[in-house]
Amino acid sequence: MRELLLGWKDRTEVYIPPVKKQGFTETVILRNISLPEEEELIPDVEENDETILAENLYIDEDETVFAPFEACCLTLERLKTGERIKVDDNEFMIGKQAENDYVIKDNPMISRRHARIYQINCEFWLEDLKSLNHTFVNDKVISEPVKLIPGMKFRLSLDEEFEVIEIMEN
C-alpha cells in the first residue's frame, strides 16, 4: 500500500494552475507513475497456445480482478415524430437545453433538464428531474426512478410520449 504514496508531492511544493469552468475552481493533482515493463505484464506465448485473458503476475495482498464489460443499448421512439433514439451511455439527459443528450426544442412545456435515463447492470431507469410539468408512466406522475422495459410508454409533460422499443446487450 505504501507504494501508492511514492511519487506524490505536497501541493505547496508544486505550482497548480487554477482551472475555471462556469465560476468553479478545481484543484489539479499531478503524479508521475512508473509502470512495469511490458514484458512483465504479458508472458511469452508461443503460437498455437491458448489465449490468456488475465494473469496475476504480482504477489500482493490486494488482487486485481478483471471483469467483463457489459455494454447495453436502449432504443426509444418519440411517438410525436416517429424518431428513433439510441441510448447507450450510463446517463442520458432529456430536455430543451442544448447541453442535453436529447433536445426537445419544439415543445415549450418541456423543462430545461426534464428527465434522465440512467443504466445500472444493463437495466435502464427513468427519473424525473423535478420538472415543472412532470414525467408520467401509466398516466401517473413518477416521484422516484422507474425501471424501463420494452413496450413501456412514458410521457414528458402532457404531450411528449416515448415508447421503449428494445433493450440490447452488446
mmCIF file of all heavy atoms in Angstrom, residues 9 20 42 74 81 113 121 136 150 158:
data_model
loop_
_atom_site.group_PDB
_atom_site.id
_atom_site.type_symbol
_atom_site.label_atom_id
_atom_site.label_comp_id
_atom_site.label_asym_id
_atom_site.label_seq_id
_atom_site.Cartn_x
_atom_site.Cartn_y
_atom_site.Cartn_z
ATOM 1 N N LYS A 9 3.757 14.610 -4.309
ATOM 2 C CA LYS A 9 4.387 15.786 -3.717
ATOM 3 C C LYS A 9 3.330 16.576 -2.976
ATOM 4 O O LYS A 9 2.156 16.551 -3.335
ATOM 5 C CB LYS A 9 5.007 16.666 -4.809
ATOM 6 C CG LYS A 9 6.199 16.054 -5.482
ATOM 7 C CD LYS A 9 6.813 17.034 -6.451
ATOM 8 C CE LYS A 9 8.025 16.410 -7.105
ATOM 9 N NZ LYS A 9 8.688 17.360 -7.987
ATOM 10 N N LYS A 20 -10.748 27.029 -14.295
ATOM 11 C CA LYS A 20 -12.050 27.651 -14.062
ATOM 12 C C LYS A 20 -13.043 27.182 -15.106
ATOM 13 O O LYS A 20 -12.732 27.103 -16.280
ATOM 14 C CB LYS A 20 -11.936 29.177 -14.104
ATOM 15 C CG LYS A 20 -11.139 29.724 -12.945
ATOM 16 C CD LYS A 20 -11.189 31.217 -12.889
ATOM 17 C CE LYS A 20 -10.413 31.671 -11.673
ATOM 18 N NZ LYS A 20 -10.574 33.074 -11.430
ATOM 19 N N ILE A 42 2.891 -9.225 -19.800
ATOM 20 C CA ILE A 42 2.401 -10.251 -20.715
ATOM 21 C C ILE A 42 3.456 -11.348 -20.836
ATOM 22 O O ILE A 42 4.562 -11.090 -21.313
ATOM 23 C CB ILE A 42 2.093 -9.660 -22.099
ATOM 24 C CG1 ILE A 42 1.071 -8.527 -21.951
ATOM 25 C CG2 ILE A 42 1.597 -10.728 -23.056
ATOM 26 C CD1 ILE A 42 0.846 -7.743 -23.205
ATOM 27 N N LEU A 74 -30.365 0.996 -25.286
ATOM 28 C CA LEU A 74 -31.813 1.152 -25.202
ATOM 29 C C LEU A 74 -32.259 1.935 -26.436
ATOM 30 O O LEU A 74 -31.607 2.914 -26.812
ATOM 31 C CB LEU A 74 -32.179 1.918 -23.926
ATOM 32 C CG LEU A 74 -33.588 2.465 -23.788
ATOM 33 C CD1 LEU A 74 -34.557 1.339 -23.470
ATOM 34 C CD2 LEU A 74 -33.651 3.508 -22.697
ATOM 35 N N THR A 81 -43.019 12.237 -33.460
ATOM 36 C CA THR A 81 -42.289 12.401 -34.721
ATOM 37 C C THR A 81 -41.880 11.078 -35.357
ATOM 38 O O THR A 81 -41.454 11.056 -36.503
ATOM 39 C CB THR A 81 -41.010 13.226 -34.486
ATOM 40 O OG1 THR A 81 -40.160 12.507 -33.587
ATOM 41 C CG2 THR A 81 -41.331 14.604 -33.927
ATOM 42 N N ARG A 113 -33.972 20.766 -18.138
ATOM 43 C CA ARG A 113 -33.471 19.411 -17.840
ATOM 44 C C ARG A 113 -34.665 18.673 -17.271
ATOM 45 O O ARG A 113 -34.926 18.726 -16.079
ATOM 46 C CB ARG A 113 -32.314 19.461 -16.850
ATOM 47 C CG ARG A 113 -31.049 20.023 -17.469
ATOM 48 C CD ARG A 113 -29.948 20.170 -16.465
ATOM 49 N NE ARG A 113 -29.745 18.957 -15.690
ATOM 50 C CZ ARG A 113 -28.625 18.252 -15.663
ATOM 51 N NH1 ARG A 113 -27.604 18.653 -16.376
ATOM 52 N NH2 ARG A 113 -28.508 17.182 -14.924
ATOM 53 N N ASN A 121 -26.143 -2.072 -14.504
ATOM 54 C CA ASN A 121 -26.121 -3.505 -14.846
ATOM 55 C C ASN A 121 -27.101 -3.863 -15.958
ATOM 56 O O ASN A 121 -27.897 -4.783 -15.833
ATOM 57 C CB ASN A 121 -26.406 -4.350 -13.608
ATOM 58 C CG ASN A 121 -25.369 -4.177 -12.533
ATOM 59 O OD1 ASN A 121 -24.208 -3.944 -12.831
ATOM 60 N ND2 ASN A 121 -25.772 -4.266 -11.288
ATOM 61 N N PHE A 136 -44.492 11.117 -16.614
ATOM 62 C CA PHE A 136 -45.582 10.192 -16.316
ATOM 63 C C PHE A 136 -45.284 8.792 -16.849
ATOM 64 O O PHE A 136 -44.732 8.640 -17.935
ATOM 65 C CB PHE A 136 -46.883 10.669 -16.976
ATOM 66 C CG PHE A 136 -47.326 12.036 -16.544
ATOM 67 C CD1 PHE A 136 -46.809 13.176 -17.144
ATOM 68 C CD2 PHE A 136 -48.280 12.184 -15.546
ATOM 69 C CE1 PHE A 136 -47.228 14.437 -16.757
ATOM 70 C CE2 PHE A 136 -48.704 13.441 -15.151
ATOM 71 C CZ PHE A 136 -48.176 14.575 -15.758
ATOM 72 N N PRO A 150 -39.120 -3.104 -22.415
ATOM 73 C CA PRO A 150 -39.630 -2.991 -23.786
ATOM 74 C C PRO A 150 -41.159 -2.962 -23.809
ATOM 75 O O PRO A 150 -41.830 -3.693 -23.087
ATOM 76 C CB PRO A 150 -39.080 -4.234 -24.477
ATOM 77 C CG PRO A 150 -37.831 -4.554 -23.720
ATOM 78 C CD PRO A 150 -38.155 -4.199 -22.287
ATOM 79 N N LEU A 158 -47.450 16.973 -20.869
ATOM 80 C CA LEU A 158 -48.762 16.452 -21.249
ATOM 81 C C LEU A 158 -48.770 15.703 -22.575
ATOM 82 O O LEU A 158 -49.606 14.835 -22.783
ATOM 83 C CB LEU A 158 -49.776 17.606 -21.327
ATOM 84 C CG LEU A 158 -50.050 18.336 -20.011
ATOM 85 C CD1 LEU A 158 -50.983 19.502 -20.244
ATOM 86 C CD2 LEU A 158 -50.620 17.376 -18.989
#
